[in-house]
């Protein structure tokens, strides 16, 4: 008997984190939550009051958004406050646009006046790191979804 072979799907070069972001953006309620959080940070109760949906469903959407890195949560007293993580959204969407060729080419940096070479100047690793992260700000640890409080 011959085995039927299914054609292989084309390989898409996306990291797991990028896939999680696009999965999170796929559902209209999650996009709506992001719109609300873009205006200001909200508690879980404030978010759920804006939807005609059960609180466990809202909680599931919040977990998916948090796992994708699109929102952050902070427990303050008895309330859980959520905020949009704009940088994650911007990085993933910009990276995707670059991957599909939808971004204009980056302008070349002009060589320094005392530089005799004809190659354009490239930013150093140290300069690049300084623009992407604040050295005084410690990275925030995210709790596991099992450690999260509903409301």
């Amino acid at each position: 008997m011959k085995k039927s072979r299914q054609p292989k799907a084309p390989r898409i070069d996306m990291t797991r984190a990028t896939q999680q972001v696009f999965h999170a953006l796929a559902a209209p309620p999650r996009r709506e939550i992001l719109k609300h959080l873009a205006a200001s940070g909200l508690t879980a109760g404030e978010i759920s009051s804006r939807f005609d949906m059960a609180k466990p469903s809202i909680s599931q959407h919040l977990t998916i958004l948090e796992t994708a890195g699109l929102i952050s949560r902070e427990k303050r007293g008895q309330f859980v406050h959520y905020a949009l993580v704009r940088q994650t959204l911007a990085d993933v969407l910009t990276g995707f646009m670059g991957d599909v060729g939808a971004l204009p080419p980056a302008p070349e940096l002009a060589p320094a006046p005392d530089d005799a070479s004809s190659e354009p100047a490239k930013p150093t690793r140290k300069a690049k790191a300084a623009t992407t992260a604040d050295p005084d700000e410690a990275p925030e640890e995210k709790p596991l979804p099992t450690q999260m409080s509903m409301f």
Side-chain angles (χ1 to χ4, degrees), residues 53-62:
M53 190 182 299
K55 286 183 180 182
S57 296
I58 294 292
S59 179
Q60 183 179 10
H61 287 301
L62 291 170

Side-chain angles (χ1 to χ4, degrees), residues 21-75:
V21 168
F22 280 107
H23 169 72
L25 294 174
R30 292 193 285 267
R31 292 193 304 268
E32 195 65 31
I33 290 170
L34 292 177
K35 286 179 192 176
H36 291 302
L37 292 175
S40 68
L42 298 169
T43 65
E46 291 169 333
I47 293 168
S48 68
S49 70
R50 296 171 188 226
F51 292 88
D52 186 25
M53 190 182 299
K55 286 183 180 182
S57 296
I58 294 292
S59 179
Q60 183 179 10
H61 287 301
L62 291 170
T63 299
I64 290 168
L65 289 167
E66 185 181 8
T67 302
L70 293 171
I71 63 172
S72 64
R73 69 185 295 278
E74 180 183 350
K75 178 98 171 162

Side-chain angles (χ1 to χ4, degrees), residues 11-23 92 99:
R11 188 173 183 279
I12 299 173
D13 188 38
M14 289 202 313
T15 65
R16 181 167 175 78
T18 302
Q19 290 174 349
Q20 287 177 327
V21 168
F22 280 107
H23 169 72
V92 170
D99 288 346

